[in-house]
Amino acid sequence: MQNKPARGTPLPAYEQIKRHVLAQIESGALKPGDVVPSETEMVKEFGVARMTVSRALRELMAEGVLNRVRGSGTYVAPRQYESTVLQIRNIADEIAARGHRHTARVLALESSEEPTAVAALELDAGPAFHSRIVHYEEGEPIQYEDRYVNPEVFPDYLAQDFTLETPNNYMVRLAPIQRAEFRIYAQKPDAHVRQHLAMEIGEPCLLLLRRTWVGKHVATSVRLWHPASRFHLAGTV
Amino acid sequence: MQNKPARGTPLPAYEQIKRHVLAQIESGALKPGDVVPSETEMVKEFGVARMTVSRALRELMAEGVLNRVRGSGTYVAPRQYESTVLQIRNIADEIAARGHRHTARVLALESSEEPTAVAALELDAGPAFHSRIVHYEEGEPIQYEDRYVNPEVFPDYLAQDFTLETPNNYMVRLAPIQRAEFRIYAQKPDAHVRQHLAMEIGEPCLLLLRRTWVGKHVATSVRLWHPASRFHLAGTV
DNA sequence: AAGTGGTCTAGACCACATG
DNA sequence: ATGTGGTCTAGACCACTTC
């Protein structure tokens, strides 16, 4: 570890150690539940004082990345839900939490060269992956999902069976979501969506737009339509 | 500061210092923008090492309570918005942030014995305060606010002029919101709301329901209607 | 020049978990 | 008994702001 920062103030040692651990988690070298090297080991590895290692690991714990147990060790924390605040959880989990049965119908699962898809993912060039899926709760349609997926982040997306696992679950399982951006609208659905959601004419939709990032890439961009009569968002702050 | 924790591990010194500062902010002895005593001063005051004070203040900065400027000093951070995640900020601030003019029209400001009001605030008995206000952005109606307020928490609520300051701002100014619960719906407005929001027949509303707690009391329960064509919610996680 | 916060060290004592 | 993390000290050097 560079003890005396040369010039331009590179990065403090504790910050370098944090990034080193984060990089190992992102690369998969460290998985949830794995033991992270102890403070003593890192002191030797990086050639710094124990307080410095301690600060790095303590901050990673405060950020929810690690769990530390006195007397035992430091562990990689289990994967976080995308959001504990605005509970846009996996629709299948939500339905299961209500004790109901979730089913899904895949309308489309394809590669797309649409400029809107390429733009939504902030790609330089196509193709983008595209899926359209209707989710049912106890047989009633509750969500129409129109999703674009970055092939660089999820190269095997098209080979999945999304009647068995939701795209959301698949992606959360493979890559840690680092940032999400959402917008919520009340909107009248077009005829296509209205039909698939079995909605009355004139009934509004709750429309949720969301883009999520993995690293520097937009991993996915999704539009979720929900019939207003059967769905709302809720949460606590 | 008790250097050797007696027994039962009372509280680490850095934690005691954090609470001391927080208590001063809560009591009003320290206000947003005020200078907090420097590390050197606190070292003398509490009789601890500088690293200990440093940690306390650093953590308070990470929690958004303090701002620290190298070479200058430590300052009490301005009051936080209710939520940085789901940006349900003061509507007046949002409008101002867009460089637009906010105006408000107070339709009602009264004491109410309605059972629904009493129930919404989880009160044992009435009365509850009640207000109905329409908010305008550049003269266009953008939010219909129907609010119940707990008289125990805000006894002077009825005496305010809500054309000058929004209820939200008034309440955030007087009491720190500790918890909020929200639900978001897409809903067709009733004739009354539709008229006040100057909406077309058939246009949906984005309806936001929110209850906020101060201590153990429900401080306020509010329903906010927004015309779908002119409003959406947005945020990042 | 003086004061501030940012970082780091090389020790130390402790509570706790695990074998 | 050993190793882990949790805390703390008494110094130090530095970058930065303010006067």
Side-chain angles (χ1 to χ4, degrees), chain A residues 24-177:
Chain A
Q24 290 209 294
I25 293 173
E26 277 177 42
S27 76
L30 284 174
K31 291 186 173 34
D34 282 2
V35 182
V36 175
S38 74
E39 294 190 351
T40 323
E41 286 170 312
M42 289 203 186
V43 163
K44 287 177 197 156
E45 180 179 353
F46 294 105
V48 298
R50 191 179 147 223
M51 274 291 281
T52 304
V53 173
S54 177
R55 173 171 176 183
L57 298 181
R58 190 196 325 131
E59 291 190 1
L60 287 175
M61 184 171 70
E63 292 163 22
V65 176
L66 301 177
N67 288 326
R68 316 195 72 196
V69 184
R70 190 198 329 228
S72 174
T74 301
Y75 307 88
V76 179
R79 197 179 300 292
Q80 309 277 308
Y81 272 122
E82 274 183 56
S83 164
T84 46
V85 180
L86 183 64
Q87 305 225 5
I88 318 169
R89 308 192 298 185
N90 188 341
I91 185 82
D93 290 348
E94 272 185 19
I95 291 171
R98 291 195 280 268
H100 288 177
R101 181 174 42 93
H102 167 260
T103 49
R105 182 177 163 205
V106 180
L107 304 178
L109 183 56
E110 65 199 9
S111 188
S112 164
E113 294 280 356
E114 284 179 71
T116 54
V118 175
L121 298 176
E122 293 178 354
L123 293 174
D124 294 330
F129 294 157
H130 176 227
S131 63
R132 284 185 291 125
I133 299 172
V134 183
H135 297 273
Y136 302 84
E137 176 167 0
E138 294 288 320
E140 271 202 329
I142 196 174
Q143 183 184 88
Y144 182 102
E145 172 187 344
D146 190 353
R147 186 183 291 272
Y148 295 120
V149 173
N150 190 331
E152 290 178 35
V153 183
F154 300 104
D156 301 326
Y157 186 76
L158 297 184
Q160 305 309 309
D161 182 351
F162 291 123
T163 61
L164 300 178
E165 181 182 27
T166 65
N168 182 303
N169 203 63
Y170 171 71
M171 296 192 289
V172 167
R173 192 160 57 76
L174 286 194
I177 276 102

Side-chain angles (χ1 to χ4, degrees), chain B residues 222-233:
Chain B
V222 63
R223 286 177 294 179
L224 303 168
W225 279 271
H226 312 85
S229 59
R230 277 169 272 158
F231 190 88
H232 70 266
L233 293 165

Side-chain angles (χ1 to χ4, degrees), chain B residues 151-172:
Chain B
E152 289 178 35
V153 183
F154 300 104
D156 300 327
Y157 186 75
L158 297 184
Q160 306 309 308
D161 182 351
F162 291 123
T163 62
L164 301 177
E165 181 183 26
T166 65
N168 183 303
N169 204 63
Y170 171 71
M171 296 191 289
V172 168

Side-chain angles (χ1 to χ4, degrees), chain B:
Chain B
M1 193 109 315
Q2 47 219 42
N3 208 336
K4 309 284 180 184
R7 58 188 65 199
T9 320
L11 271 182
Y14 77 90
E15 188 61 40
Q16 291 184 43
I17 294 172
K18 284 178 70 175
R19 298 199 182 196
H20 178 261
V21 174
L22 283 170
Q24 290 208 295
I25 293 173
E26 278 176 39
S27 76
L30 283 174
K31 290 186 175 30
D34 283 0
V35 181
V36 174
S38 74
E39 294 190 352
T40 322
E41 287 170 312
M42 289 204 185
V43 163
K44 287 176 196 155
E45 182 181 351
F46 294 104
V48 297
R50 194 182 144 220
M51 273 291 281
T52 304
V53 173
S54 177
R55 174 171 174 184
L57 298 181
R58 191 197 323 132
E59 291 191 0
L60 286 175
M61 184 171 71
E63 292 163 20
V65 176
L66 300 177
N67 290 325
R68 316 195 74 196
V69 185
R70 189 194 335 223
S72 174
T74 301
Y75 307 88
V76 178
R79 194 182 301 287
Q80 304 281 306
Y81 280 120
E82 276 180 55
S83 164
T84 46
V85 178
L86 184 63
Q87 306 225 7
I88 317 169
R89 310 191 298 186
N90 188 341
I91 185 82
D93 290 348
E94 272 185 20
I95 291 170
R98 290 193 281 266
H100 288 175
R101 180 173 43 91
H102 167 260
T103 48
R105 183 175 162 207
V106 179
L107 303 177
L109 183 57
E110 65 199 8
S111 189
S112 164
E113 294 280 357
E114 282 180 72
T116 54
V118 175
L121 298 176
E122 295 178 354
L123 293 174
D124 293 331
F129 294 157
H130 176 227
S131 62
R132 283 186 292 126
I133 299 172
V134 183
H135 297 273
Y136 302 84
E137 176 166 358
E138 293 286 323
E140 269 202 329
I142 195 173
Q143 181 183 87
Y144 182 101
E145 172 186 346
D146 190 353
R147 186 183 290 272
Y148 296 119
V149 173
N150 190 330
E152 289 178 35
V153 183
F154 300 104
D156 300 327
Y157 186 75
L158 297 184
Q160 306 309 308
D161 182 351
F162 291 123
T163 62
L164 301 177
E165 181 183 26
T166 65
N168 183 303
N169 204 63
Y170 171 71
M171 296 191 289
V172 168
R173 191 160 56 78
L174 287 195
I177 276 102
Q178 287 163 350
R179 193 163 72 84
E181 168 193 284
F182 65 85
R183 293 200 295 278
I184 301 166
Y185 298 86
Q187 197 176 87
K188 281 188 273 190
D190 63 24
H192 178 74
V193 169
R194 183 170 57 76
Q195 268 195 326
H196 278 291
L197 290 178
M199 293 169 62
E200 310 263 326
I201 291 179
E203 185 189 347
C205 271
L206 195 60
L207 171 59
L208 178 64
L209 271 59
R210 192 154 101 248
R211 288 205 294 177
T212 55
W213 277 256
V214 171
K216 292 181 177 179
H217 300 92
V218 177
T220 181
S221 172
V222 63
R223 286 177 294 179
L224 303 168
W225 279 271
H226 312 85
S229 59
R230 277 169 272 158
F231 190 88
H232 70 266
L233 293 165
T236 56
V237 179

Side-chain angles (χ1 to χ4, degrees), chain A residues 91 95 98 133-137 139-145 185-190 193-208 224-233, chain B residues 184-188 204-205:
Chain A
I91 185 82
I95 291 171
R98 291 195 280 268
I133 299 172
V134 183
H135 297 273
Y136 302 84
E137 176 167 0
E140 271 202 329
I142 196 174
Q143 183 184 88
Y144 182 102
E145 172 187 344
Y185 297 86
Q187 198 176 87
K188 283 190 273 190
D190 63 25
V193 169
R194 183 170 59 75
Q195 269 195 326
H196 278 292
L197 291 178
M199 292 169 62
E200 310 264 324
I201 291 180
E203 185 188 346
C205 271
L206 196 60
L207 170 60
L208 178 63
L224 303 168
W225 279 271
H226 311 85
S229 60
R230 275 168 274 159
F231 190 87
H232 69 267
L233 294 164
Chain B
I184 301 166
Y185 298 86
Q187 197 176 87
K188 281 188 273 190
C205 271

